[in-house]
Amino acid sequence: LLPVLEKLLSALDYLHARGFIHRDIKPSNILISTDREPILIDFGTARLLECTHTTTSLGTPGYMPPEQADPHMRGPWSDLYALGATCYRLITGMVPPEASARLISDDYTPLTECPELTERFPHSLLSSIDTALNLYIKDRWKNAQEWLYALKTQQAQEKLHLLGIEPHEYNSELLSTAENGDINKLRLLITAGADVNTTDDDGHTPLTLAAWGGHAECVKLLLDAPRINVNAADNDGETPLYIAAATGR
């Protein structure tokens, strides 16, 4: 389910970035191709985000968010509620309680509180679906990128936990991993939220350590990391650019 969800989130990010919302995401509107690629279909109810003249409450009960009929309240978060409901259906075999009924009496049981599900699915997946199915917009994912980023971060954290690495160890592990050149572990640590600008006692950053070690793939990965400071100098005043020139790498 995770690979399918991630691809659907990427598709919705593309759709929303162009000013449209789908308004009727549900299992029957998602096809899986022979190469296991999800295909979102039936754009008959799709609308421009800025369109406010229609009050038609189109959609499917159980998959519609509570704001579906209000064009001033609809947004990417509305499609994400429906996607969350779709995931709920795929995981539990049931359609979630209708949003209109939940507004009166919310009997939704979070997936993370269902032992039979927590034994079979990653906590990161279940909790992300619970977030998508919040009744109130302020408590939901605001856009597909936010959901996708949270999923990848939590997945990386879960994998590191299995390796015996906890959040308070991320930065020290990032330094030693950059120095050793383990590209896969480095990617996990960056995705999990390690500080790419952390330093050791000599002022070396992960980038300078990877540069000194000649680990080209690690250097490239770090250069692509958000908020990386490429001009950070160590205690000797040496920057990654200086190191690359000095070592001829």
Side-chain angles (χ1 to χ4, degrees), residues 50-72:
E50 66 266 21
C51 180
T52 59
H53 68 272
T54 176
T55 58
T56 306
S57 182
L58 295 174
T60 304
Y63 300 96
M64 290 189 298
E67 72 274 9
Q68 186 84 335
D70 187 345
H72 298 282

Side-chain angles (χ1 to χ4, degrees), residues 41-54:
I41 63 170
D42 192 357
F43 286 79
T45 61
R47 289 290 183 275
L48 283 167
L49 284 168
E50 66 266 21
C51 180
T52 59
H53 68 272
T54 176

